[in-house]
Structure formats: C-alpha cells, structure tokens
C-alpha cells in the first residue's frame, strides 16, 4: 500500500496491555495505524447484507478487545470512521486482534460512494462500493492506515453447500470419503465456480482450496467439498445425520449452506 511520509506523523500507536483490574470501561486506547478491513456478505434466505469486518493487525493480550466506530449513511453514500480500541470490562485471557463488525445493510446493484476513515475522520480514505450481480468491489483511492486483503468479494451462489471432513488418523480415510460422496450424491451435484474469494471459501481452478470455519476461527484446506444442492433439503440433512451417526468418533462433517444455515 502507498503511504506518504507525513502520514506516519498523523497516526500513532499506543496499545496498552490488558489489565482488567486497573482498567475502567471509559478509557479509550488510541487506535493502531494498521487495520485489516474485510468486505463480507451476510448470507440469508431472504435478503443478504454487507458488512465490514474490522480488526487490528497486531494481537492484543486479551481476546475481547473491541473497536469503536461511527457510521453515517444516505441512499448513495456510506461514511465509516474507525475511532478507538476499547478495552474489555473483563479480560478473557489469551491473545487476539481487537475487532468489530460494521453492518452496512442491503444494496441494490449500482455504485455507491464510501469512506473508510480513521480517528474521528481525521484520516480520510475515499472510494466506491460497486455492487454487481456476481461480486462486490471496494475501489479505494487511498488506503491510509488500512489493509484490504481483497478488493473484490464474489457473491455466494444460491443453492450452494460447502464444508469439510475432519478424519481421525486411526480411521480409514478413503473409505469414509467414498461413503460420504456416495451417500450425498442423490441430493447434490458438482459445480464449477470462477476463481476468487467468496469470503466463506476461496476457489481456484474451479474447486475450493480453502474454507473459513467462522465458529472455529480456522482456515481448512483438507477434505473440502463445494456442491450445488439439487434435492430435498430434509433428505440431504437426513443423509448427513446418518453419516455422522455411522462414523461416530472417526470423522466430523461440517456443512454450510448459501442461505446462512448449517446442515
């Protein structure tokens, strides 16, 4: 990213160690000059929403620091100011970035003005949020103090299911995978998606090469599947439940759907 030299005098870093016994909830800690901002699609059966997932690049010594922000919106413009890192009321021991989610709402196809600013709008980043049928794009004129891991986020197609199997080392992996594929074939079919980042998973050469498990906060790269749902949902769910019962402790099956549900 490009930053003029004077920029480093505008922002300063002051992250204080998490000391819940000495910290009051009213204290704000000045925000880092390095923030990760991810454009994210919230899946829903009725209306999908967009949000920004904001986190510090640096990890703090509590797991539950948050980030304060202001959001001002009109029909054609969204202005976000990311302001301060807020210490927790009670520290959850461990290390993690400070984070928060900023819900932008539902957008019709078109181009919208957007600002991703810092420190109560002292640092300004102006750009365009472009809403297309198959992708969203953040086209920023500047990225002072922010890191955008992707500027284009592909939309998750309807009737899609994806997930992974975690198979114990002592189990027969090939047998379990063959049985899994055989049992869900009546309710699914293979699908080829264009390469890119879909948020929940990444596609390369038509297949998923990594899946983000939001519950586990992990990125999975082994035993992945990405399929189109073509049968009755209840029957697919029954087949998955039967497989989980039969595999017992040998394997865990995680399945996600494009309507935001977990199968």
């Amino acid at each position: 990213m490009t930053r003029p030299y004077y920029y480093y005098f505008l922002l300063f870093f002051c992250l204080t160690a998490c000391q819940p016994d000495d910290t009051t909830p009213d204290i704000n800690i000045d925000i880092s000059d390095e923030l990760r901002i991810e454009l994210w699609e919230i899946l829903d059966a009725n209306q999908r929403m967009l949000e920004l997932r904001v986190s510090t690049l640096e990890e703090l010594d509590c797991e539950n620091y948050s980030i304060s922000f202001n959001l001002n919106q009109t029909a054609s413009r969204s202005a976000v100011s990311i302001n301060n890192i807020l210490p927790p009321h009670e520290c959850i021991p461990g290390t993690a970035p400070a984070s928060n989610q900023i819900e932008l709402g539902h957008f019709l196809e078109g181009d919208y003005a957007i600002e991703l600013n810092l420190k109560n709008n002292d640092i300004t980043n102006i750009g365009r949020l472009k809403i297309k049928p198959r992708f969203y794009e953040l086209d920023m004129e500047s990225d002072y103090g922010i890191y955008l891991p992707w500027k284009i986020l592909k939309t998750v197609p309807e009737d899609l299911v994806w997930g992974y199997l975690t198979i114990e080392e002592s189990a027969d992996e090939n047998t379990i995978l063959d049985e899994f594929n055989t049992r869900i074939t009546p309710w699914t079919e293979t699908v080829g998606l264009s390469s890119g980042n879909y948020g929940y998973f990444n596609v390369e050469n038509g297949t998923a090469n990594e899946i983000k498990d939001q519950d586990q906060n992990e990125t999975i790269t082994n035993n992945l599947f990405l399929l189109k749902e073509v049968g009755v949902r209840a029957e697919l769910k029954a087949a998955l439940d039967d497989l989980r019962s039969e595999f017992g402790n040998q394997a865990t099956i995680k399945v996600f759907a494009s309507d935001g549900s977990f199968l």
Side-chain angles (χ1 to χ4, degrees):
M1 71 183 64
T2 302
R3 297 192 183 92
Y5 184 77
Y6 71 84
Y7 170 67
Y8 290 94
F9 293 96
L10 296 175
L11 291 177
F12 59 93
F13 179 87
C14 183
L15 295 179
T16 301
C18 177
Q19 299 174 338
D21 294 336
D22 302 325
T23 303
T24 64
D26 297 328
I27 295 177
N28 287 349
I29 300 172
D30 292 310
I31 203 160
S32 167
D33 61 355
E34 291 290 347
L35 293 172
R36 178 186 178 100
I37 300 181
E38 299 177 357
L39 184 62
W40 197 265
E41 182 183 39
I42 302 300
L43 302 178
D44 186 83
N46 299 313
Q47 187 178 77
R48 297 186 181 185
M49 313 285 278
L50 281 180
E51 71 176 19
L52 299 174
R53 296 191 168 187
V54 183
S55 61
T56 57
L57 294 182
E58 297 289 337
E59 291 195 341
L60 284 71
D61 52 2
C62 291
E63 292 186 357
N64 54 332
Y65 275 93
S66 63
I67 298 175
S68 68
F69 66 89
N70 298 111
L71 173 62
N72 293 305
Q73 285 185 297
T74 65
S76 60
R77 173 179 172 272
S78 298
V80 178
S81 182
I82 304 165
N83 301 322
N84 294 292
I85 295 174
L86 303 177
H89 290 269
E90 294 185 9
C91 176
I92 298 177
T95 59
S99 62
N100 211 339
Q101 291 80 46
I102 303 172
E103 186 175 297
L104 299 178
H106 176 72
F107 292 84
L108 299 176
E109 184 178 352
D111 287 8
Y112 301 83
I114 190 167
E115 296 182 19
L116 304 179
N117 304 332
L118 303 180
K119 297 292 295 178
N120 295 298
N121 297 308
D122 286 345
I123 307 300
T124 302
N125 294 296
I126 298 173
R128 305 293 297 179
L129 173 61
K130 301 178 181 181
I131 310 298
K132 306 297 182 182
R134 296 185 179 179
F135 67 90
Y136 311 100
E137 180 178 1
L138 267 178
D139 185 11
M140 303 302 298
E141 296 180 12
S142 63
D143 57 2
Y144 303 144
I146 61 176
Y147 164 59
L148 304 175
W150 53 79
K151 63 178 292 186
I152 293 179
L153 176 70
K154 300 287 189 74
T155 58
V156 176
E158 298 288 349
D159 300 321
L160 201 71
V161 292
W162 66 93
Y164 63 92
L165 286 80
T166 302
I167 301 173
E168 296 298 319
E169 291 184 5
S170 58
D172 186 333
E173 181 175 290
N174 290 333
T175 298
I176 291 175
L177 291 175
D178 288 344
E179 186 67 16
F180 172 81
N181 291 328
T182 299
R183 298 281 285 278
I184 68 169
T185 293
W187 325 114
T188 61
E189 63 182 30
T190 57
V191 59
L193 300 182
S194 60
S195 296
N197 195 309
Y198 293 75
Y200 300 89
F201 52 85
N202 192 75
V203 173
E204 193 172 283
N205 298 323
T207 61
N209 64 347
E210 63 178 33
I211 286 175
K212 297 181 179 67
D213 189 327
Q214 302 298 302
D215 294 332
Q216 303 297 324
N217 195 27
E218 293 180 341
T219 298
I220 312 299
T221 57
N222 294 320
N223 297 326
L224 311 180
F225 56 89
L226 181 62
L227 301 165
K228 181 177 177 60
E229 188 177 0
V230 295
V232 178
R233 169 66 63 85
E235 293 176 342
L236 173 59
K237 183 65 168 64
L240 291 169
D241 289 343
D242 288 344
L243 286 166
R244 292 182 176 113
S245 178
E246 292 175 21
F247 293 159
N249 295 327
Q250 297 182 74
T252 301
I253 307 172
K254 298 290 287 289
V255 186
F256 309 92
S258 57
D259 62 2
S261 60
F262 172 73
L263 304 184

